[in-house]
Every structure is written in C-alpha cells, then in structure tokens.
Amino acid sequence: MEEKQNWLQWTADRIGWEAIDKAMLTRKIPKVNWAYTLGSTTLFVAIIQLVTGMFLTMYYSPSPDHAYDSINYIMNDVTLGWLIRGLHHWGASVMVILVFLHMWRVFYYGAYKYPRELTWILGVLLLVTVLALGFTGYLLPFDQKSYFATRVGTSMAGVVPLIGPFLKRVLLAGEDVGTLTLARFYGLHIWILPALFVLFVVPHLYLVFRIGISAPPVLEEEDEEGEEA
Ligand code: HEM
C-alpha cells in the first residue's frame, strides 16, 4: 500500500531525527529546579557570542593603527553596530558569570561524582577556554584600558615558576604589547579558542545526554520516607 508522505516524514526517513528528538526533548528527566537551566543559558549566550562575533569581524580591523577607530565606526556608523557590539561586549561578562554559577550548581549538588567525572573535566577545560576568550578579547579595542590590562595579565603569566618568562613571550609574541600581540590575540580569539570551545562543548553535551541529568541530592531520611511512601 502506498502511503502519502509529507516532507517532514520524507526527511525523517532519511535523517532519522526522531531519535534525536526522543533523546533530547521527549525523554523523562528527574524533578529538577531552575538552577539546572544555567548550563543551557551559558550555551545560549555562547551562541550569541559566536554569531555577534562573526558579524564584528566584518568591520573590525586587528591593527594597532585602526583597531580603536574600527570599533568607533562599528558603534557610531554601522547599522545596528552598537547593538551587535553591545551584545558581544556585555555577553562576555554575562558568560563568565554564568559559567561560574553553572559550575557552582554542579559542585553544590555533587553532580561531578561518578559517572559524571568526565563531564566535569570537560567543564574545567571549557571554563579555561571561556576565561581565555575574555582575556584575548579585552585587548582587541586597543585602547589604554586594554593595553595596560594585557600588560598586567601577561606580567602575571611571566612570574609563573619555571615556564613564566617563556609563557609571557609566547603570549606577547615578543617582549612587549605591540602589533604582533594584537594579531596573536585576534587569531586566538576568533579561531583557536572558539574551535577549542566547540571541541570541548560537543562531548560535554553528549555526556549530559548519554548519562542523563542528575537528580538533586536528598537527605538519607527523606530518601527512606520516599521509599516507604
Ligand atoms: C561554556 C561552558 C559550559 C556550557 C555551555 C555547559 C553546558 C552544560 C549543559 C547544557 C548542561 C546540562 C544542563 C545543566 O546541568 O545545567 C551541563 C551539565 C553539566 N556541566 Fe556544564 N557547561 C559548561 C561549563 C561547565 C563547567 C565549567 C563545569 C565544571 C567545571 C561543568 C560541569 C558540568 C557537569 C558535571 C554537568 C552534569 C550535571 C548533571 O548531570 O547534573 N560545565 N553543562
């Protein structure tokens, strides 16, 4: 018997996205609370950062002579430039706050324990990546604030035992903040760190779906009462 199929069924037969829908959206989860939305909120802001960042590259110029002016141009002359740059600028701080809140939720509920240790380790790598994105992005406007903040930050790296001076030189691409530092931070900020972010976030989310979200912990007595009921 020939059945009339619509395009939804047609794509489902080929892609099999019903399985994805089942794994992600329609499966049962334990009774959780609002703190469990912090990971998804972080992911949402990360996507905003990625999209607004892509648009910013269309007008931003990573050279010491033009970086500051190109940001001014984005803010004052480009259509909706103020909005895109504003979202990216404030989104960076929001993301750092959200990552810490999400980590705190996971720690407070003991959700890092077996079998979620790998999810936690990937989370730590994500945290470092997010902080590095913030640090490298801060230099890009190349104004006084970002210039001196980078000098302070790289000097701190310079006093790390043993590898400090080497680390500082690698970060600065020389002895002091200059043209090559800006180029290096830009490359890190728009290519290497976002690539690392994706590399870590994909298995992080895969593990969340594979293992399932943890239930909020309960006191032993509450647990026993629950069993009796
Ligand atoms: C940009 C960074 C991150 C993103 C986008 C992200 C995303 C998520 C999402 C969507 C979830 C599921 C929902 C939830 O529990 O809120 C989750 C769970 C989890 N995350 Fe993250 N996360 C990030 C950073 C971190 C960090 C820094 C840690 C810890 C160091 C971490 C450890 C975990 C763990 C252990 C779980 C499983 C929690 C459970 O099963 O209850 N994540 N993450």
Side-chain angles (χ1 to χ4, degrees):
M1 196 179 76
E2 209 173 293
E3 201 178 292
K4 206 174 176 204
Q5 293 181 333
N6 60 22
W7 67 271
L8 264 177
Q9 191 58 48
W10 191 91
T11 48
D13 289 344
R14 280 146 190 88
I15 302 169
W17 47 256
E18 277 153 330
I20 303 172
D21 172 68
K22 205 171 162 200
M24 290 173 74
L25 299 174
T26 50
R27 65 172 181 172
K28 286 203 164 69
I29 55 160
K31 194 169 167 11
V32 290
N33 57 42
W34 282 98
Y36 281 74
T37 59
L38 288 165
S40 313
T41 319
T42 315
L43 188 64
F44 177 72
V45 178
I47 293 167
I48 302 250
Q49 291 301 93
L50 205 73
V51 173
T52 51
M54 283 176 185
F55 281 108
L56 286 175
T57 62
M58 293 175 186
Y59 288 97
Y60 173 74
S61 167
S63 80
D65 289 348
H66 299 114
Y68 185 72
D69 290 338
S70 66
I71 300 267
N72 264 341
Y73 185 69
I74 291 170
M75 291 302 280
N76 300 312
D77 298 296
V78 177
T79 312
L80 294 181
W82 59 272
L83 181 65
I84 300 290
R85 201 254 169 158
L87 281 170
H88 199 78
H89 178 90
W90 292 107
S93 303
V94 169
M95 194 162 160
V96 171
I97 294 168
L98 284 171
V99 174
F100 275 108
L101 287 176
H102 169 57
M103 189 171 77
W104 171 80
R105 191 288 286 174
V106 169
F107 180 72
Y108 185 68
Y109 286 179
Y112 53 84
K113 294 177 195 171
Y114 175 84
R116 296 183 178 79
E117 302 93 324
L118 255 185
T119 323
W120 174 271
I121 291 168
L122 285 160
V124 173
L125 294 172
L126 280 167
L127 175 72
V128 174
T129 312
V130 169
L131 294 179
L133 275 162
F135 182 59
T136 50
Y138 205 80
L139 178 68
L140 302 186
F142 220 65
D143 52 11
Q144 298 258 334
K145 202 166 63 162
S146 56
Y147 175 84
F148 286 105
T150 305
R151 287 192 77 179
V152 171
T154 49
S155 298
M156 283 161 75
V159 293
V160 169
L162 301 176
I163 57 160
F166 170 75
L167 199 65
K168 185 178 170 186
R169 230 174 311 119
V170 170
L171 282 171
L172 288 174
E175 295 306 323
D176 209 345
V177 179
T179 309
L180 286 179
T181 321
L182 185 58
R184 178 152 301 188
F185 273 41
Y186 184 62
L188 283 165
H189 190 78
I190 72 157
W191 288 119
I192 299 173
L193 293 169
L196 286 177
F197 183 85
V198 174
L199 193 74
F200 300 142
V201 90
V202 170
H204 189 74
L205 298 177
Y206 167 75
L207 289 179
V208 170
F209 289 117
R210 198 191 108 77
I211 299 168
I213 203 77
S214 65
V218 286
L219 290 172
E220 252 171 54
E221 307 92 73
E222 285 176 32
D223 208 17
E224 279 157 19
E225 276 168 32
E227 265 170 28
E228 278 162 23

